Amino acid sequence: MIQHNKISDSDLRNKIKNGEICFGGNRKLKIYGTLKCSSGKRMRRENRVFFLSESEARQNGFRPCGHCMKTEYLNWKNGLI
C-alpha cells in the first residue's frame, strides 16, 4: 500500500505506467476501486492510497467500490468474497 501524500507525482505516474499501481483506495473509508473511478478522483490526497492488486487491497481490509466495481462489490456484500 502506497500513500499518495508520501509519493511524488512523477513517481506515481511512472508506477502507474509500469503497472506497479492498478487500484486506488480511500484510507479512511477502506474502499478501493479502479484508477478511473469518478468517486476516487474526488477524494482528498491525504486519504488516497494505491495498490498493485485487488488481493493486496483486501489483505489491508479494504472493500470494493460500489460505483466502478459493481460485480465485485455485490459479491463482497453478499459474502462471496
Side-chain angles (χ1 to χ4, degrees), residues 23-46:
F23 295 94
N26 188 312
R27 183 173 55 92
K28 294 204 179 214
L29 297 176
K30 295 286 196 175
I31 299 172
Y32 75 93
T34 64
L35 297 175
K36 295 181 180 183
C37 180
S38 58
S39 298
K41 289 181 179 181
R42 290 192 307 259
M43 79 178 85
R44 293 178 162 203
R45 184 182 184 112
E46 60 265 16

Side-chain angles (χ1 to χ4, degrees), residues 10-61:
S10 61
D11 284 343
L12 178 61
R13 279 191 295 276
N14 287 334
K15 287 185 179 291
I16 291 170
K17 194 181 293 184
N18 294 332
E20 296 175 41
I21 292 176
C22 298
F23 295 94
N26 188 312
R27 183 173 55 92
K28 294 204 179 214
L29 297 176
K30 295 286 196 175
I31 299 172
Y32 75 93
T34 64
L35 297 175
K36 295 181 180 183
C37 180
S38 58
S39 298
K41 289 181 179 181
R42 290 192 307 259
M43 79 178 85
R44 293 178 162 203
R45 184 182 184 112
E46 60 265 16
N47 293 334
R48 192 176 293 130
V49 292
F50 298 102
F51 302 102
L52 172 62
S53 65
E54 287 186 67
S55 61
E56 180 186 1
R58 280 193 231 112
Q59 287 171 355
N60 284 291

Side-chain angles (χ1 to χ4, degrees), residues 59-73:
Q59 287 171 355
N60 284 291
F62 286 69
R63 71 161 177 85
C65 173
H67 183 252
C68 66
M69 303 179 75
K70 288 189 191 290
T71 305
E72 293 86 351
Y73 171 74

